[in-house]
Amino acid sequence: MTAIQEKTLAVKVRKDFPILHQTVHGKSLVYLDNAATSQKPIAVLDALRHYYEQDNANVHRGAHSLSVRATEAYEGARDKIAKFINAASRQEVIFTRNATEAINLVAYSWGLNNLKPGDEIITSVMEHHSNFVPWQMIAKQTGAVIKYVPLTKNEDFDLEGFKCLLSDKTKLVTIVHVSNTLGCINPVEEVIKLSHEKGVKVLIDACQSIPHMPIDVQEMDCDWLVASGHKMCGPSGVGFLYGKQAILEAMPPFLGGGEMINEVFFDGFTCGELPHKFEAGTPAIGEAIALGAAVDYLTEIGMDKIYAYEEELTAYLFRKLAEVPQIRIYGPQPSQDGKGRAALAAFNIEGIHGSDLSTLLDHEGVAIRSGHHCTQPLHRLFDASGSARVSLYFYNTYEEIDRFVMVLKETIDFFTNIMG
Ligand code: C6P
């Protein structure tokens, strides 16, 4: 598909997202905070509404028709996700509240029971807090040690640095696929291959990759992979953990309660089968069903088309950002055709605070994020308390990038003038 056709694709899908067609402070909205959360198409909103209007009942419990329908739709959503990521079986997909809960599940179930003093966990300096803090908590309890993969000179994942850290002491590698701050696409296949050669398990945080590119967990060969529904056109309150079946089977339950048991006695219980063993309590039923609708929506467009279009947007975004004075963009440069980097840019403008920038851009209808993006340790490496961040999705257009860059330049001029 050519660039012009892809542009038409973005314009075509915008009608599916009612929220995009509004004004903010009297200006038409330009939503460029997609790494924080994506917008939801009508198909997802309809699925949520249909569930609550027609099928609302608890799952796996009742014999009545509504409960049967709710259960079928909920388990159908699991099938859709399993197919979307090419899991070997539906038992390998566990619904969680979000990616953060999925990482905690692995940390508490696998980490707490398999790590001992002196064992090493390798992660990277660019991780989101949700891939730092659970492991820091587990390391404290088990005596395991955390090692951090550094950055290259280009502010990319340092594969050579990773190789130096990987040793006989390593028991787990847990890294992000696409950084929410640097935008780099990490060489996860190579990391997984090298780790498996040493018998080391690997968890991939796919929060910022799964919404934007095709993911095949069998090809990638990760042991676990986590994602959040709200970043991939689905609702908030639902995410999932993928895990290889044999590994999940060997892991003890994370949370106890209803749904996850087989039998309960006064002196103990037996566990239910996968995937229910890890889904204690009533799940986010409507949200999981709507996430299934999001997966249908993305599949219908085609993840390869989304990825290709976003590469074009990345190339255009970086060409336009090169015109902005005093800009410091974090992370590696994309190639001329936008490859090698996700469609996002965290940046600072000398002398202007990121939150002032995002507030003034909001007054022009342009939504970008500012702050530390839950990557405080990474920002400290750059000696920055935070940054502004623009992040795109397949419904964003070239015209929106133009508007963003124009308003950004005007805002910089404004600050330059008042600062004398
Ligand atoms: N990043 C951002 O604006 P939850 O909160 O569980 O849905 O997602 C956590 C998470 C984990 N890993 C990565 C790489 C992420 O980007 C995120 C969420 C948002 O960048 C919110 S801080």
Side-chain angles (χ1 to χ4, degrees):
M1 212 178 248
T2 67
I4 305 291
Q5 285 167 324
E6 293 286 8
K7 267 194 246 185
T8 318
L9 174 80
V11 172
K12 210 160 77 186
V13 297
R14 288 179 73 81
K15 67 172 182 349
D16 301 336
F17 294 84
I19 201 168
L20 298 177
H21 308 284
Q22 63 174 289
T23 55
V24 170
H25 299 300
K27 311 278 166 54
S28 56
L29 170 67
V30 174
Y31 184 78
L32 303 177
D33 192 18
N34 294 288
T37 200
S38 68
Q39 298 304 348
K40 324 301 173 200
I42 292 167
V44 169
L45 304 176
D46 283 351
L48 204 53
R49 189 178 183 94
H50 178 89
Y51 167 73
Y52 282 113
E53 275 185 359
Q54 302 292 327
D55 300 337
N56 179 39
N58 214 325
V59 286
H60 310 131
R61 285 172 167 88
H64 62 81
S65 297
L66 264 60
S67 179
V68 171
R69 290 210 299 265
T71 304
E72 279 173 7
Y74 177 75
E75 290 303 330
R78 193 190 312 278
D79 290 329
K80 289 175 187 182
I81 293 165
K83 192 163 171 225
F84 188 63
I85 60 171
N86 194 29
S89 85
R90 65 191 312 284
Q91 274 87 341
E92 297 182 326
V93 176
I94 314 291
F95 283 118
T96 59
R97 275 189 305 143
N98 45 39
T100 302
E101 187 178 81
I103 296 172
N104 275 274
L105 191 164
V106 178
Y108 280 90
S109 170
W110 184 87
L112 207 51
N113 290 289
N114 286 278
L115 295 170
K116 39 181 208 320
D119 284 349
E120 292 183 357
I121 300 168
I122 300 180
T123 185
S124 81
V125 294
M126 69 178 80
E127 299 304 314
H128 188 277
H129 295 165
S130 58
N131 203 18
F132 272 138
V133 182
W135 299 113
Q136 288 172 342
M137 290 159 81
I138 294 300
K140 206 167 177 181
Q141 290 185 56
T142 59
V145 177
I146 305 178
K147 300 275 172 174
Y148 298 96
V149 179
L151 301 181
T152 62
K153 278 205 305 293
N154 300 331
E155 299 175 350
D156 213 336
F157 184 88
D158 185 350
L159 188 60
E160 293 310 310
F162 167 74
K163 288 179 191 165
C164 292
L165 292 178
L166 190 63
S167 78
D168 293 341
K169 291 188 189 160
T170 314
K171 291 290 166 328
L172 173 74
V173 173
T174 179
I175 58 159
V176 70
H177 191 184
V178 170
S179 161
N180 69 329
T181 302
L182 301 175
C184 52
I185 304 171
N186 292 333
V188 289
E189 285 84 3
E190 182 75 4
V191 165
I192 292 167
K193 192 169 144 284
L194 291 166
S195 303
H196 283 174
E197 278 167 16
K198 287 203 166 289
V200 175
K201 295 199 168 27
V202 185
L203 183 150
I204 300 297
D205 173 356
C207 263
Q208 301 291 354
S209 58
I210 232 172
H212 304 281
M213 59 180 74
I215 297 283
D216 181 329
V217 288
Q218 291 191 69
E219 203 178 294
M220 193 189 272
D221 200 26
C222 51
D223 297 295
W224 301 281
L225 178 138
V226 302
S228 279
H230 68 93
K231 294 189 199 289
M232 51 191 288
C233 292
S236 53
V238 68
F240 64 89
L241 165 71
Y242 156 82
K244 284 183 180 161
Q245 188 159 346
I247 297 173
L248 291 178
E249 268 163 5
M251 286 163 54
F254 169 42
L255 300 173
E259 285 284 293
M260 50 71 70
I261 49 88
N262 183 16
E263 284 189 292
V264 182
F265 309 93
F266 285 119
D267 58 354
F269 70 96
T270 56
C271 269
E273 298 291 315
L274 283 177
H276 308 296
K277 170 174 137 182
F278 291 111
E279 292 181 5
T282 301
I285 304 165
E287 287 73 10
I289 294 167
L291 177 56
V295 162
D296 283 343
Y297 180 81
L298 293 172
T299 306
E300 177 76 26
I301 296 173
M303 290 311 297
D304 46 352
K305 284 191 191 141
I306 289 174
Y307 192 34
Y309 176 58
E310 289 191 17
E311 281 181 340
E312 292 183 15
L313 283 183
T314 305
Y316 190 68
L317 174 69
F318 274 76
R319 276 206 299 280
K320 294 296 287 183
L321 285 176
E323 299 167 6
V324 177
Q326 292 139 349
I327 192 165
R328 157 72 162 100
I329 302 173
Y330 300 100
Q333 276 290 316
S335 67
Q336 286 290 329
D337 50 4
K339 293 198 189 309
R341 192 178 160 123
L344 69 85
F347 60 92
N348 270 311
I349 308 284
E350 207 184 312
I352 309 175
H353 201 280
S355 63
D356 292 337
L357 271 182
S358 67
T359 305
L360 286 177
L361 262 66
D362 178 61
H363 280 279
E364 297 301 320
V366 179
I368 65 164
R369 187 176 171 178
S370 64
H372 52 62
H373 322 309
C374 295
T375 55
Q376 279 184 4
L378 179 66
H379 276 88
R380 282 200 193 94
L381 283 184
F382 295 134
D383 209 12
S385 60
S387 55
R389 185 187 66 191
V390 52
S391 54
L392 312 175
Y393 209 7
F394 61 93
Y395 42 68
N396 287 127
T397 62
Y398 287 62
E399 291 72 22
E400 288 183 307
I401 296 175
D402 288 342
R403 261 263 313 278
F404 156 64
V405 173
M406 187 188 76
V407 173
L408 181 62
K409 283 180 181 166
E410 286 170 1
T411 307
I412 296 169
D413 285 347
F414 168 78
F415 273 104
T416 313
N417 289 336
I418 55 168
M419 287 185 305

